[in-house]
Amino acid sequence: MEQVAQAVIDELRESGLSGLSVPRIAQRAGVHTATIYRRWSTNGALIAFAAGRLAERALPVPDTGSLRGDLRAMLRDLRAFLEGSDGAALVAAAFAFGDAQDVQAAQQLYWRERVVGRDPMFNRARLRGDVDDRDVFEDLIEMAIGPLYVRRYISRRAIDDVFIERVVDAVLSDRQ
């Protein structure tokens, strides 16, 4: 299914959300259109799937030896993802779908997979004594990545290393 994910990304990059065509995605991926409709009943679910596959490749789980270093590395990878044409196209498309129930479900699935994918990072932080509660860890992740989305998609300001360091300092300020 990697070929489907890449075909979605290519189609979004070339045609945008308004020009998204499942038959063209199927053709690019070398599968039947019915195969795509059977697995993904909505464009939102299809885009969430493609975003998840891209995120798996572009956002590895860091292991720097400290929660501070892991957050810093995670945010640098996220910056590259958000500034790259594929990541930017997928995130913009996901937000453009609005609050439809099927889209919310796809977004929640995407987010759950991203958080579960961070379990090795959480387990190492827990063993080091950096964080002991899974919910607190998830909150830290959300507090860390939120400012990058605001910078990229709302204020349109640069996400530089100084900004990333300030975000990490703020997120960890009560944990020191």
Side-chain angles (χ1 to χ4, degrees):
M1 289 290 112
E2 286 302 317
Q3 67 274 19
V4 172
Q6 189 58 53
V8 171
I9 293 165
D10 294 343
E11 181 71 12
L12 278 172
R13 201 175 339 101
E14 290 178 19
S15 303
L17 182 59
S18 62
L20 190 72
S21 164
V22 172
R24 279 197 310 265
I25 291 169
Q27 183 179 14
R28 286 175 188 262
V31 301
H32 292 288
T33 304
T35 301
I36 293 177
Y37 284 122
R38 195 171 35 252
R39 280 200 74 170
W40 300 282
S41 60
T42 67
N43 284 352
L46 184 58
I47 290 170
F49 163 75
R53 289 299 172 105
L54 178 61
E56 286 173 12
R57 292 190 312 263
L59 302 170
V61 178
D63 184 5
T64 66
S66 71
L67 180 58
R68 174 176 292 283
D70 288 351
L71 286 174
R72 186 181 303 118
M74 182 185 77
L75 293 181
R76 286 180 177 151
D77 289 340
L78 178 60
R79 172 183 58 198
F81 177 79
L82 294 176
E83 291 176 348
S85 61
D86 292 346
L90 285 169
V91 172
F95 284 125
F97 273 106
D99 286 336
Q101 192 171 14
D102 61 324
V103 174
Q104 285 182 8
Q107 289 170 338
Q108 288 172 342
L109 174 62
Y110 169 82
W111 178 245
R112 183 63 27 219
E113 289 174 355
R114 299 291 61 75
V115 171
V116 169
R118 299 286 178 240
D119 276 347
M121 193 171 137
F122 166 69
N123 290 331
R124 288 189 300 269
R126 186 177 46 78
L127 290 173
R128 288 188 305 262
D130 293 335
V131 64
D132 57 0
D133 185 305
R134 183 74 171 80
D135 290 336
V136 169
F137 179 74
E138 188 169 339
D139 291 347
L140 291 174
I141 297 293
E142 288 178 357
M143 291 180 336
I145 69 169
L148 274 69
Y149 281 85
V150 169
R151 276 275 172 123
R152 175 73 174 101
Y153 295 102
I154 297 173
S155 69
R156 308 262 181 206
R157 295 172 59 204
I159 303 170
D160 58 17
D161 286 341
V162 172
F163 179 72
I164 288 174
E165 198 61 42
R166 283 197 306 262
V167 169
V168 172
D169 287 346
V171 167
L172 296 178
S173 66
D174 67 339
R175 308 207 73 66
Q176 317 232 349

